[in-house]
Structures are given as structure tokens and as C-alpha cells.
């Protein structure tokens, strides 16, 4: 069985077919924000492939889709998977690779007439990106019981729609029970989305865990007024508070040093006109660190600065937590399996933490979990230019195949 290997052409064909849905013209990337019409079309295509592979497909109340291949014994499956929603300016590999490589593993086993000892499951989880409906990893969070389904349905997105109504509208409000059954183990293949593997000339990352994530939405309210007539000392300008905070978190991340990162990724001003001092500014702060104490420190420093900046502009602030997840450490047996199998397959491999959030970090709450990373050219992701070479995709999918078989034999 060790000579079993996946068909890279078939995997790339599926990646290309899925990338046509929500394709961003003139690029290789796609826009399939969670629970939009494009997400529905992508889901329909992947579900049709699951049926082609005769998987037993279930959909739960948060729209997670799980396809199961029977094993020679019953019991909890070894699960793989990821997400097929994207950010609005996404690449074709982020998430999609993990799901389609899972289908490729199943197809490889079917063609070779291999029945694994345990069932194998391929899942795609709803709204991993959290770009439309925060928090990120929403579907897998609900799957593991970290949030109730009613609370999740009530979440309002950046366009005012709610998760529950959009799930219903696109036909993915399923009835499989939540929380979902814990798998025997979970392993997710994903592109690194950072520069480490490429820079070090390595093919496989054995992921040791995921850094902590803190997302906050800040609304600053001041006094809208005439840009020409209002003297500077009489202004209450929320835009100034937003710019100062954006600059502060950037400097803070430099001061605290790697792996601290900080991003202001979304900002909206009202009324957003050239000659009007804004009435309000709403923006997001994304802070991440592998050490929870350091993350708490960055959160405290940011809040203190924000409070002082708002006071100095005589503005009021409102904070809303969009996501807060502690750092996660993956299971040593799964990390070892990834490392050993990648090495046995002749790949240069290193252990590394993940900078991005992943569904695996939620599954780690209920079963032994790990991840396989493959290089991202130029470390570029959340960008239509995201790219991973066919050779690296093939290497990652073959590691996934054999890690799953290994875990299914235990
Ligand atoms: C989600 O994928 C994130 O890391 O922002
Ligand atoms: Mn992803
Ligand atoms: Mn992503």
C-alpha cells in the first residue's frame, strides 16, 4: 500500500473547475464569500463530486457538509477537509486544496480497491474565512460545540444578512445533528500562506499548532461638520482616531517582535465625503500571537491607546469582539505521522506553527488533530495571485493519503 499515490492531474482539474465559480476576471483567483450564490454553486459542485464517489453525504444545521467512505470496520472516521468559502479577493488553493485533496484520496483508494480499516470522511466547513460573517472557522466551531447553532444563525454579516437566513436561502440548512460526532482523528492539508517553506527550500510543513487570533470591531463616533469652516481645535474627528490606532498597532507589532502581527483590514467612514469631517469611523483590528500572554498584552496596549486617542479627539468608542481564539497545540502523534511519512516519501520537512486560522484548530478540541502544509509561492495568500506548484500539491496530497491510512489503522 505504500506505493499508492494520488493523481495530480485529476486534483488540478477539480481545483480549476471549482475556481471557475466566482472567478475574478483576469486572475487565477476567486470570490466566494460564505453563503453567497457563488458559495452555493461551489458547494453544489463539490457535493456532486462526493455523490460521484458514492460517499454518504450529510449536511448539518450550520451548513457543514461531510462525505463518508465506509471502512472495513465501523467506528469513528478519520476525517480530513477544510473550507471552500474564500475571501473576496481569494486564491484557488486556500481551503479548496484540503477539501479536493480529500476527495482525491478517496478516489485513489476506490480505484486501487483499497478499503481502509476505519471509515474516511471529507468535510467542508461553513464560513472558515469569517470575512462576511465573523468569527472565522464558524462552521467548525459549531461542529465541535464551541458555539450554539441558534447563536450562529443570528450572526449578522458585513452586508446585513444573517447566517441563518442565508443558509436557508442557498439550501444548505441541513438536519444532521450538532455538535457533530467526534472523528477518530482529523488531518487537514493546506497551503502555508506564508514564506517559510519556500524560503527554506522545503516541501512539507508538519504543523504543530495555530496561533491565537483576536478580532475587534471598533466604532468611533465624533461630530460631523464642514471641512472648510471647522477650526482644528473644535473638531471631534473619528477618522483621526482610526488612523492613529492603525498606525499604533503596526508599530506595536514591530516593537513586540515576531510572531506578533497586527492588521487594520477594514475601515468605513460616514458619510465618507471629501469635504465633511466624518461622523463615525468603523474599523477592525486583527492581532495574532502564538503565546496567549503576549496576545493579551497586545490587546491591552491597543485598548489603552484607543481609549486615550478617542479622549484626545473628544470622541466616543464602542468595541465589539468578532473573534477570540486561544493558541492551539496539535496532537504529537499526528504531527509525528506527518513528519515521518513526509520524510519517508523523500521530502524535506520541518515543524512549524500556522499563522493563519484553520478548521483543524477547532477539530483539535475533540480529537487528535494535525495539518500538512505545502509552500505558497512568494508567501502570497488572500490574494488571487496565490500559487502552489503542481509538484508541491502532489507531495502534500500524497502525504495526506498516507497519514489518513496510518491513522485509520489505529
Ligand atoms: C482565516 O483563514 C484567517 O486566518 O484569517
Ligand atoms: Mn484557509
Ligand atoms: Mn483564508
Amino acid at each position: 500500500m505504500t506505493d499508492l499515490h494520488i493523481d495530480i492531474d485529476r486534483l488540478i482539474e477539480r481545483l480549476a473547475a471549482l475556481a471557475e465559480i466566482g472567478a475574478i476576471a483576469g486572475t487565477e483567483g476567486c470570490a466566494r464569500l460564505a453563503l453567497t450564490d457563488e458559495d452555493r454553486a461551489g458547494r453544489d459542485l463539490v457535493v456532486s463530486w462526493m455523490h460521484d464517489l458514492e460517499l454518504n453525504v450529510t449536511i448539518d444545521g450550520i451548513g457543514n457538509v461531510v462525505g463518508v467512505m465506509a471502512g472495513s470496520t465501523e467506528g469513528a472516521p478519520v476525517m480530513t477537509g477544510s473550507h471552500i468559502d474564500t475571501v473576496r479577493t481569494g486564491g484557488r488553493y486556500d481551503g479548496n486544496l484540503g477539501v479536493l485533496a480529500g476527495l482525491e484520496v478517496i478516489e485513489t483508494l476506490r480505484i486501487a480497491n483499497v478499503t481502509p480499516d476505519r471509515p474516511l470522511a471529507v468535510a467542508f466547513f461553513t464560513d472558515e474565512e469569517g470575512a462576511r460573517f465573523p468569527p472565522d472557522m464558524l462552521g467548525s466551531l459549531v461542529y465541535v460545540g464551541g458555539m450554539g447553532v441558534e447563536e450562529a444563525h443570528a450572526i449578522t454579516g458585513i452586508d446585513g444578512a444573517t447566517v441563518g437566513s442565508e443558509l436557508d436561502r442557498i439550501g444548505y440548512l441541513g438536519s444532521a445533528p450538532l455538535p457533530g460526532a467526534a472523528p477518530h482523528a482529523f488531518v487537514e492539508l493546506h497551503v502555508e500562506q506564508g514564506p517559510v517553506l519556500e524560503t527554506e527550500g522545503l516541501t512539507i510543513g508538519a504543523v504543530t499548532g495555530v496561533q491565537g487570533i483576536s478580532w475587534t470591531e471598533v466604532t468611533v463616533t465624533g461630530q460631523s461638520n464642514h471641512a472648510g469652516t471647522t477650526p482644528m481645535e473644535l473638531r471631534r474627528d473619528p477618522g483621526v482616531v482610526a488612523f492613529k490606532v492603525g498606525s499604533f498597532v503596526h508599530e506595536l507589532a514591530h516593537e513586540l517582535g515576531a510572531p506578533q502581527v497586527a492588521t487594520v483590514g477594514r475601515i468605513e467612514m460616514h458619510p465618507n465625503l471629501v469635504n465633511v469631517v466624518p461622523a463615525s469611523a468603523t474599523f477592525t483590528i486583527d492581532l495574532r500571537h502564538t503565546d496567549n500572554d503576549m496576545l493579551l498584552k497586545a490587546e491591552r496596549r491597543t485598548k489603552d491607546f484607543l481609549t486615550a486617542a478617542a479622549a484626545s479627539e473628544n470622541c466616543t468608542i464602542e468595541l465589539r469582539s468578532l473573534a477570540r481564539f486561544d493558541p492551539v497545540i496539535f496532537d504529537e502523534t499526528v504531527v509525528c505521522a506527518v513528519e515521518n511519512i513526509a520524510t519517508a516519501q523523500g521530502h524535506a520537512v520541518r515543524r512549524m506553527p500556522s499563522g493563519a486560522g484553520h478548521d483543524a484548530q477547532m477539530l483539535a478540541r475533540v480529537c487528535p488533530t494535525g495539518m500538512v502544509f505545502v509552500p505558497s509561492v512568494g508567501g502570497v495568500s488572500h490574494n488571487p495571485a496565490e500559487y502552489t506548484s503542481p509538484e508541491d500539491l502532489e507531495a502534500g496530497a500524497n502525504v495526506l493519503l498516507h497519514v489518513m491510512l496510518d491513522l485509520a489503522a489505529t
Side-chain angles (χ1 to χ4, degrees), residues 83 87 94 128-130 136-137 190 193 210 213 215 286 288 354-358 361 382:
H83 60 99
V87 295
D94 178 358
E128 190 274 349
E129 294 293 3
D136 48 353
M137 287 79 69
H190 206 284
Q193 308 180 271
V210 179
I213 300 177
W215 286 359
D286 175 322
R288 307 194 195 200
S354 170
H358 295 293
Q361 81 193 79
H382 284 185

Side-chain angles (χ1 to χ4, degrees), residues 35 43 47 50 56-67 79 82 122-127 137-150 152-153 163-164 166-168 170-183 359 363:
L35 309 184
R43 286 165 172 265
V47 168
M50 286 180 164
N56 179 20
V57 179
T58 55
I59 306 173
D60 66 27
I62 191 69
N64 298 320
V65 176
V66 181
M79 186 184 275
S82 193
V122 181
F124 60 88
F125 295 100
T126 295
D127 187 38
M137 287 79 69
L138 178 66
S140 45
L141 178 67
V142 174
Y143 186 91
V144 302
M147 183 189 283
V149 70
E150 294 80 16
H153 284 176
V163 167
E166 286 294 86
L167 273 171
D168 193 25
I170 69 164
Y172 276 86
L173 187 55
S175 57
L178 283 167
D359 294 307
L363 272 294

Side-chain angles (χ1 to χ4, degrees), residues 249-290:
V249 295
H250 184 87
E251 295 308 323
L252 179 68
H254 278 293
E255 179 199 318
L256 296 176
Q260 179 68 58
V261 286
T263 307
V264 172
R266 175 158 69 83
I267 177 162
E268 285 146 27
M269 306 236 273
H270 185 77
N272 214 29
L273 295 169
V274 63
N275 54 355
V276 183
V277 176
S280 66
T282 299
F283 61 98
T284 53
I285 304 171
D286 175 322
L287 301 171
R288 307 194 195 200
H289 201 292
T290 49

